Amino acid sequence: MIIAIDGPAASGKSTIAKLISKKLEFEYLDTGALYRGVTYFIYINDLSLNNEDMVVDLIKKTKFSFNNNHLFINGNNVETEIRKNNISKLVSAVASTQYIRTILTEIERKIGHQAKNIIMDGRDIGTVVFPDAEVKIFLTASTRVRASRRYNELLKKNEIHTIEEIERDIIKRDEIDSKRATAPLVKSYDAIEVNTDNLNIEGVVEVILSIINKKIV
Ligand code: CDP
């Protein structure tokens, strides 16, 4: 069974998907971490996206793996690095690149097919990667609420930014993600939208679990 959770930046997809995967004993794939990982990799190797052959070649030679929901690149834990705001600012441009999406979509489908039960979160899981997913959730919240949640998250990691800066970044990222030609961020016609403005984490988990239960029965 595949559960797809899509939605805009910082809407809480990863937090919620992780908790639900634990409760249901499903595997979990954070596809945003893959886009962030590729972005980080391009950044530290000072590559240009225009140099398609070189970027594809390097990505294909690189090992991306997860351990305890942390992303590893060639065996190195890059979880902290990929979540930093400088990577958040760059990731949407990388994710708009068709050849990058082709590679990552292929990896995501392979992982999905190999799993018995999996929950995947991203932007295009219910629309492009697994349009036949049994459960599709579209998680939203206002930009202010999302910015303040991300602000607190970064603060805990000693990354200080203003809420206004984070909100601007989120709006920009949503715009690029929604307007790109390939696999844009859009709610699938058969996804159930959950607005989390007035819900805490437990509340969101409860709502989504009840949607999943209704679908299964
Ligand atoms: O956690 P947050 O909402 O900040 O974003 P993320 O899920 O880590 O995804 C980071 C970026 O990767 C997004 O802004 C998209 O540009 C891209 N992405 C995508 O294009 N397709 C996906 N399936 C997942 C992420």
Side-chain angles (χ1 to χ4, degrees):
M1 174 180 197
I2 293 178
I3 299 175
I5 303 193
D6 290 304
S11 55
K13 301 176 299 291
S14 315
T15 307
I16 301 301
K18 254 183 237 164
L19 288 169
I20 293 181
S21 78
K22 273 209 192 101
K23 280 203 189 252
L24 299 180
E25 294 183 7
F26 274 34
E27 284 181 44
Y28 166 56
L29 179 64
D30 175 355
T31 65
L34 292 176
Y35 283 92
R36 285 172 178 276
V38 167
T39 305
Y40 172 69
F41 188 71
I42 290 172
Y43 173 73
I44 55 165
N45 286 293
D46 208 10
L47 300 173
S48 161
L49 280 171
N50 296 329
N51 205 337
E52 177 173 342
D53 290 346
M54 194 187 237
V55 176
V56 170
D57 190 50
L58 262 167
I59 292 177
K60 293 212 160 148
K61 282 186 193 144
T62 304
K63 192 173 182 295
F64 294 90
S65 57
F66 285 92
N67 194 341
N68 260 331
N69 291 328
H70 283 189
L71 180 69
F72 285 69
I73 299 182
N74 291 334
N76 297 313
N77 188 339
V78 293
E79 189 60 28
T80 307
E81 297 306 320
I82 65 166
R83 304 285 164 198
K84 288 193 172 160
N85 210 44
N86 65 330
I87 297 301
S88 298
K89 283 180 198 274
L90 297 172
V91 64
S92 287
V94 175
S96 302
T97 310
Q98 166 76 59
Y99 69 84
I100 303 269
R101 299 205 73 80
T102 305
I103 301 173
L104 292 191
T105 301
E106 204 177 294
I107 293 174
E108 291 161 11
R109 288 194 179 131
K110 199 167 152 197
I111 294 172
H113 287 307
Q114 281 169 353
K116 185 165 172 266
N117 293 306
I118 190 162
I119 178 158
M120 242 184 237
D121 79 297
R123 302 291 186 287
D124 60 343
I125 310 305
T127 49
V128 173
V129 184
F130 284 108
D132 295 333
E134 285 88 341
V135 180
K136 297 184 191 179
I137 308 286
F138 196 76
L139 211 59
T140 63
S142 67
T143 53
R144 205 10 103 107
V145 167
R146 289 189 274 132
S148 103
R149 288 178 188 159
R150 184 54 46 96
Y151 169 85
N152 288 323
E153 217 173 82
L154 289 170
L155 198 63
K156 274 191 211 141
K157 298 179 199 165
N158 293 322
E159 255 207 82
I160 320 271
H161 302 274
T162 63
I163 297 193
E164 287 73 23
E165 181 196 352
I166 294 174
E167 188 173 19
R168 271 196 306 275
D169 289 346
I170 282 177
I171 292 170
K172 201 185 285 167
R173 198 137 63 89
D174 284 352
E175 194 179 325
I176 303 174
D177 289 345
S178 308
K179 288 190 177 154
R180 68 181 174 224
T182 314
L185 165 67
V186 62
K187 177 179 167 294
S188 177
Y189 75 95
D190 53 352
I192 297 175
E193 181 162 344
V194 177
N195 181 297
T196 69
D197 272 352
N198 298 311
L199 291 170
N200 60 14
I201 293 174
E202 293 75 37
V204 181
V205 168
E206 211 174 288
V207 169
I208 294 182
L209 282 177
S210 86
I211 293 171
I212 296 170
N213 284 332
K214 276 187 207 135
K215 286 271 179 181
I216 293 174
V217 184

